[in-house]
Amino acid sequence: RKEQELDSKDAIILHQFSRPTNGVPSLSPFCLKMETYLRMADLPYQNYFDGKLSPQGKMPWIEYNHKKVSGTEFIIDFLEEKLGVNLNKHLGPHERAVSRAVTRMVEEHFYWTLAYCQWVENLHETQKMVSLFGPFSDLMKWIFCHLTKGIVKREMYGHGIGRFSEEEMYTLMEKDMRTLAGLLGDKKYIMGQTVSTVDATVFGHLAQAMWTLPGTRPERLIKGELINLAMYCERIRRKFWPEWHHDDDNTLYESEESSEASKTYSPLRDFSFYSRTETFDEEGNSISQTPDTDYTGHSLFDSDVDMDEYRDHEQCK
């Protein structure tokens, strides 16, 4: 196939895997992290679902002014240097250190237990979500998923975490999730009331447990005992992904003012450029009707419920 030439002059081209069939933007925590970061930083970008890996064998990767950058950490550093964006400018030295430590725990430890659940234990459900088209799409999805399963198991063994039993791996996963829940507490975001880079990382991974692993232990944990993580995921989804709708939305995470408005959605964007600049009011005080407000002008950004409301709900049950 002849490759299409892309003009990345003054444009961010984001290469990532195709959208899955269940409405979630990506089955890859790192692809979802990167696209969420671009939305958090309010940087216009264009998706390109060519399936081609970067020269380093990575996904996602970007092109900007004909410069190719892979690895989400290096991509963020590159964009900060070239475009002057910085989601961490409000953080002090101690908070930056904590943020980096949390990022390493999530990407180098929690990620592998998620990958095991997604591509080994729950492979049959994951296969249904993979988006491949053509006369032999079912066969190709089966081949792709089972190849991925073998790769994940081999890399987990090399990492070391794959040498433990399934029960031991899930014990490690639960410890990581409880650590995140304890760190978040009743705050709006991981590092406080303002979004930072670590939120893109944490959301990209927790979203997999929230929306792509039906019936599994991480889904039961995040939607049950660790309810603050579920509300955190909903908060970020509603603020930065207004067009992302899920058929199994749980009204327990909604406020009265957002329950109806959240049912109106548009398809996830593919090749078109995306920018929040003209559609969002970061302060949430505009009375005009936009994708982040209902017809009364109320903001949908903070559509989470209080923990007291959740406890009352549990007592009623």
Side-chain angles (χ1 to χ4, degrees):
R1 185 177 68 176
K2 182 178 180 180
E3 294 185 4
Q4 178 181 351
E5 291 294 331
L6 292 177
D7 184 7
S8 63
K9 186 177 185 303
D10 298 327
I12 300 172
I13 308 297
L14 176 61
H15 295 259
Q16 61 170 315
F17 298 113
S18 298
R19 302 285 196 208
T21 59
N22 66 333
V24 176
S26 181
L27 294 176
S28 164
F30 293 98
C31 289
L32 183 54
K33 167 194 173 179
M34 196 65 250
E35 191 168 1
T36 301
Y37 171 85
L38 291 172
R39 291 176 177 227
M40 287 177 171
D42 197 9
L43 295 175
Y45 65 94
Q46 184 178 13
N47 279 314
Y48 198 66
F49 302 104
D50 55 353
K52 181 181 179 181
L53 301 178
S54 71
Q56 294 81 13
K58 292 282 189 178
M59 187 74 91
W61 56 287
I62 69 163
E63 291 181 81
Y64 182 77
N65 283 339
H66 306 291
K67 171 75 172 179
K68 298 179 180 180
V69 186
S70 67
T72 55
E73 183 173 359
F74 292 115
I75 293 174
I76 292 172
D77 290 344
F78 173 81
L79 294 176
E80 287 181 351
E81 178 184 353
K82 294 295 182 181
L83 302 178
V85 297
N86 190 349
L87 294 181
N88 297 331
K89 59 185 178 182
H90 63 286
L91 301 180
H94 175 75
E95 293 173 312
R96 289 172 185 262
V98 172
S99 177
R100 180 166 179 80
V102 172
T103 298
R104 295 280 69 81
M105 179 194 76
V106 170
E107 294 187 346
E108 304 297 338
H109 194 265
F110 181 51
Y111 163 76
W112 290 109
T113 56
L114 277 177
Y116 175 84
C117 189
Q118 191 172 46
W119 294 103
V120 180
E121 187 201 13
N122 207 44
L123 183 65
H124 180 69
E125 291 296 325
T126 301
Q127 184 174 326
K128 298 177 183 177
M129 304 176 195
V130 172
S131 177
L132 287 176
F133 302 98
F136 303 105
S137 59
D138 290 340
L139 175 61
M140 293 303 295
K141 284 198 290 187
W142 187 92
I143 294 174
F144 169 77
C145 288
H146 282 77
L147 284 175
T148 304
K149 174 183 176 180
I151 293 172
V152 167
K153 292 181 71 174
R154 184 177 71 246
E155 292 187 348
M156 289 183 67
Y157 190 85
H159 176 277
I161 198 170
R163 304 179 188 224
F164 297 111
S165 68
E166 180 177 295
E167 187 60 33
E168 289 172 326
M169 283 190 284
Y170 278 121
T171 297
L172 295 175
M173 170 187 281
E174 183 173 333
K175 287 183 177 180
D176 288 343
M177 294 181 70
R178 290 186 183 280
T179 298
L180 291 173
L183 182 62
L184 177 64
D186 59 358
K187 299 194 300 295
K188 190 174 180 180
Y189 300 111
I190 295 295
M191 302 308 299
Q193 293 301 111
T194 306
V195 71
S196 57
T197 302
V198 70
D199 291 299
T201 302
V202 174
F203 174 75
H205 288 72
L206 287 180
Q208 307 303 317
M210 184 81 175
W211 290 294
T212 73
L213 298 171
T216 61
R217 291 172 64 173
E219 187 204 47
R220 293 195 299 269
L221 193 59
I222 195 173
K223 292 183 178 180
E225 188 177 349
L226 306 182
I227 195 69
N228 66 329
L229 293 182
M231 293 190 294
Y232 168 80
C233 288
E234 282 287 351
R235 186 177 303 124
I236 292 180
R237 187 189 75 159
R238 293 174 188 275
K239 181 171 183 178
F240 298 104
W241 292 91
E243 76 277 31
W244 172 3
H245 173 85
H246 196 265
D247 293 336
D248 297 327
D249 282 348
N250 191 331
T251 56
L252 175 61
Y253 311 132
E254 298 176 345
S255 66
E256 292 182 1
E257 69 181 40
S258 66
S259 59
E260 290 299 324
S262 63
K263 295 176 183 177
T264 302
Y265 66 98
S266 57
L268 289 175
R269 306 189 181 206
D270 289 342
F271 290 91
S272 57
F273 276 95
Y274 179 86
S275 174
R276 295 177 56 240
T277 304
E278 297 180 356
T279 58
F280 284 83
D281 177 6
E282 181 65 27
E283 299 300 323
N285 55 9
S286 172
I287 60 173
S288 61
Q289 185 176 355
T290 65
D292 58 295
T293 59
D294 61 14
Y295 67 94
T296 65
H298 291 142
S299 173
L300 305 182
F301 285 178
D302 307 323
S303 55
D304 54 294
V305 298
D306 294 331
M307 290 302 295
D308 291 338
E309 181 179 342
Y310 171 70
R311 295 189 188 99
D312 293 340
H313 176 84
E314 288 297 299
Q315 291 174 358
C316 290
K317 289 200 297 185

